[in-house]
Amino acid sequence: MTQPVPTITLVRGDITDQHVDVIVNAANSTLLGGGGVDGAIHRRGGPAVLADCRKLRASHYGGGLPTGRAVVTTAGDLHAQYVVHTVGPVHQPQLTGEADRAQTELLASCYRESLRLAGELGARSIAFPAISTGVYRWPLSDGARSAVRTVREAAREPLFDIRFVLFDDAALGHFEQALAAAP
């Protein structure tokens, strides 16, 4: 018997409007909110999201969440059950060779760790932003290829609905190209 293959879809819009089991937050290491996707999720999720993040900071992550790792909180007022917060790497174009590969691996780890946690929660649907491609300046084309490749390789049951929610047409275009080129 063959395993059902998760469906990957692309959505142009606001990730905070998604009705899914898990929304992934492109968080900063403080877990206390910020700009972009992180700020939008904290604002729309309300005080329950921030309260959970503060508990994480007070216990296991006093120094902040390391890059490439992920943690779970309630989704508060979002149309989801959980938020998975993950910290992407800041793009450093001067890096080459092994250092560049290490940064790319940290980006891939954000997607893998988010999928792992969603699977442990029994989630059937998940919505991702384009991690690190905003204020962390990761090039959209490379970020899209890494995201699509990693999610295709790492997605497992019970996840069947995997969405990349892209805020603008430029990001959507890069993800469309990456999805079309992926095996």
Side-chain angles (χ1 to χ4, degrees), residues 20 38-39 42 50-51 94-95 97 137 140-141 145 159:
V20 291
D38 192 20
H42 274 269
L50 182 59
Q94 73 279 9
L95 296 179
R137 302 179 312 276
L140 266 170
S141 58
R145 281 191 305 271
L159 284 166

Side-chain angles (χ1 to χ4, degrees), residues 82-93:
Y82 305 99
V83 173
V84 170
H85 306 265
T86 188
V87 179
V90 174
H91 185 251
Q92 300 175 50

Side-chain angles (χ1 to χ4, degrees), residues 21-22 81-82 116-125 157-159:
D21 296 329
V22 172
Q81 292 178 304
Y82 305 99
R116 179 185 63 77
L117 289 174
E120 289 176 4
L121 294 166
R124 296 181 59 79
S125 58
E157 281 191 58
L159 284 166

Side-chain angles (χ1 to χ4, degrees), residues 20-169:
V20 291
D21 296 329
V22 172
I23 291 177
V24 177
N25 181 18
N28 65 52
S29 64
T30 70
L31 297 174
L32 302 178
V37 170
D38 192 20
I41 286 173
H42 274 269
R43 282 188 301 278
R44 186 85 174 262
V49 175
L50 182 59
D52 272 7
C53 287
R54 284 187 172 140
K55 288 177 191 170
L56 287 166
R57 286 298 307 267
S59 61
H60 298 91
Y61 299 102
L65 182 65
T67 302
R69 299 277 305 277
V71 294
V72 178
T73 68
T74 183
D77 296 330
L78 293 163
H79 304 290
Q81 292 178 304
Y82 305 99
V83 173
V84 170
H85 306 265
T86 188
V87 179
V90 174
H91 185 251
Q92 300 175 50
Q94 73 279 9
L95 296 179
T96 59
E98 192 60 37
D100 182 55
R101 283 188 291 281
Q103 288 294 292
T104 300
E105 174 53 32
L106 285 172
L107 180 59
S109 178
C110 292
Y111 291 99
R112 274 194 307 276
E113 286 294 300
S114 296
L115 288 167
R116 179 185 63 77
L117 289 174
E120 289 176 4
L121 294 166
R124 296 181 59 79
S125 58
I126 187 169
F128 284 100
I131 298 168
S132 284
T133 63
V135 296
Y136 286 5
R137 302 179 312 276
W138 204 276
L140 266 170
S141 58
D142 188 54
R145 281 191 305 271
S146 180
V148 168
R149 179 180 52 248
T150 303
V151 166
R152 284 219 173 171
E153 291 171 358
R156 301 287 181 268
E157 281 191 58
L159 284 166
F160 292 103
D161 175 7
I162 299 171
R163 302 175 200 174
F164 288 103
V165 183
L166 297 316
F167 192 70
D168 60 27
D169 290 333

